[in-house]
Amino acid sequence: MKITISVAQMDVSFGKPAENFARIESFVAQAATEQADIVVFPEMWNTGYDLSRFNDIADVNGLQTLHVFKALAQKYHIMIHTGSVATKRGNQFFNTTYIIDENGELLSTYDKVHLFGLMHEDEFLTPGSKKDQFEVKGVPATSVICYDIRFPEWLRTLSLNDSRIIFVPAEWPTPRMPQWRTLLAARAIENQSFVVGVNRVGADPENRFGGNSVVIDPLGNNVLYLGHEEELKTVTIDINATDKVRGFMPVFADRRPDLYE
Ligand SMILES: NC(=O)CCC(=O)C(=O)O
């Protein structure tokens, strides 16, 4: 099974959802032109980390995100991983991913589980407590958000359900780019899965963001690698590679969960 993935490495206007929403369609249109099955956006691109203003700018119940992306998925007949957006539900704020299929149907919702204190998420956001599991063209997949990749036990838990692709939208600052690359490669190798990491570029008042979005195969090799500029790139992956690696080195079968608690 082959899956074509477009990575939308976008810049984000700080605290300006209208400007950010206005730029989304061009990425989806380009991905469709490049015949992608799915297009993937970075983390919290609707607002950036303008956390103290979330009461005014977070997407209430994700309604704008869902409305815009469902329409785009139908118009371009493409599956969309929304990256993540700042959402407001009741009086709480979340960092939320939506997965929408090519018919505009919502497949899954995920709230970031591990909140990143260095960027003050823990002061403003409520953490999620559910897994994200969905299928891309019938292939089991999962998704986390940025800092979540520092928790291998969480990605392992998500991968035990036969997942073959792990999506990782991010706002990962430039000084820690070597860690971004190493952690993503490690998660790919240990879970014998493809990893799709989509980072933003540009800057906000506190950080510069390093791009370097990447698609990594189950052996840890980059099959797509972006630089530091805003751009969309597309690659086709062959999911059979995960069967080959898992057949050759049966890591999942060799686990000793009886020792892990
Ligand atoms: N937005 C994030 O979760 C950033 C995570 C990060 O920078 C890290 O080093 O981890």
Side-chain angles (χ1 to χ4, degrees):
M1 165 62 69
K2 295 200 172 168
I3 298 179
T4 301
I5 300 172
S6 284
V7 168
Q9 178 170 285
M10 65 182 282
D11 197 351
V12 175
S13 297
F14 186 65
K16 295 188 175 147
E19 283 186 18
N20 293 316
F21 270 102
R23 295 167 51 241
I24 287 301
E25 180 163 2
S26 65
F27 290 106
V28 178
Q30 186 185 340
T33 303
E34 297 183 13
Q35 314 229 302
D37 297 302
I38 182 167
V39 55
V40 190
F41 287 86
E43 180 183 17
M44 219 136 80
W45 56 264
N46 61 334
T47 57
Y49 272 79
D50 196 358
L51 296 159
S52 64
R53 291 185 55 241
F54 270 14
N55 203 34
D56 299 321
I57 59 175
D59 189 3
V60 178
N61 296 322
L63 288 178
Q64 184 179 13
T65 306
L66 289 168
H67 176 74
V68 167
F69 278 114
K70 284 181 172 191
L72 290 174
Q74 284 175 319
K75 178 173 174 184
Y76 292 98
H77 202 66
I78 187 170
M79 192 168 171
I80 299 177
H81 184 307
T82 63
S84 75
V85 288
T87 58
K88 181 179 182 194
R89 302 205 291 274
N91 57 6
Q92 294 181 310
F93 302 110
F94 299 87
N95 186 342
T96 307
T97 290
Y98 301 102
I99 308 295
I100 297 167
D101 76 10
E102 64 278 12
N103 301 311
E105 298 296 326
L106 177 64
L107 295 186
S108 75
T109 302
Y110 174 77
D111 296 318
K112 188 174 187 177
V113 163
H114 302 92
L115 299 182
F116 190 51
L118 278 186
M119 284 162 64
H120 313 294
E121 285 187 321
D122 54 334
E123 296 165 38
F124 293 91
L125 301 184
T126 302
S129 53
K130 283 201 244 154
K131 299 176 191 166
D132 199 6
Q133 319 246 228
F134 53 94
E135 291 185 355
V136 182
K137 288 178 82 179
V139 173
T142 188
S143 190
V144 295
I145 301 175
C146 204
Y147 182 53
D148 282 331
I149 63 168
R150 289 189 185 270
F151 300 86
E153 58 272 49
W154 181 230
L155 279 81
R156 171 68 95 204
T157 301
L158 294 167
S159 298
L160 289 176
N161 203 16
D162 200 32
S163 175
R164 304 301 173 113
I165 315 173
I166 302 168
F167 292 93
V168 187
E171 291 212 22
W172 195 284
T174 302
R176 293 188 295 281
M177 293 317 291
Q179 295 171 42
W180 161 255
R181 290 188 284 271
T182 303
L183 289 166
L184 290 175
R187 300 296 86 85
I189 293 165
E190 70 201 4
N191 292 302
Q192 301 181 314
S193 287
F194 285 93
V195 167
V196 179
V198 184
N199 193 22
R200 64 163 288 190
V201 293
D204 71 12
E206 289 191 13
N207 289 295
R208 292 200 65 78
F209 298 94
N212 283 170
S213 300
V214 66
V215 179
I216 302 174
D217 75 12
L219 292 174
N221 304 305
N222 294 344
V223 293
L224 184 75
Y225 194 65
L226 281 68
H228 305 292
E229 305 301 322
E230 180 171 87
E231 62 177 334
L232 177 140
K233 279 196 172 176
T234 302
V235 68
T236 299
I237 59 172
D238 186 349
I239 296 297
N240 293 336
T242 60
D243 289 324
K244 276 194 201 143
V245 174
R246 292 178 188 201
F248 172 69
M249 191 185 291
V251 163
F252 284 91
D254 290 343
R255 293 177 69 246
R256 291 288 312 277
D258 52 314
L259 299 178
Y260 299 160
E261 286 300 309

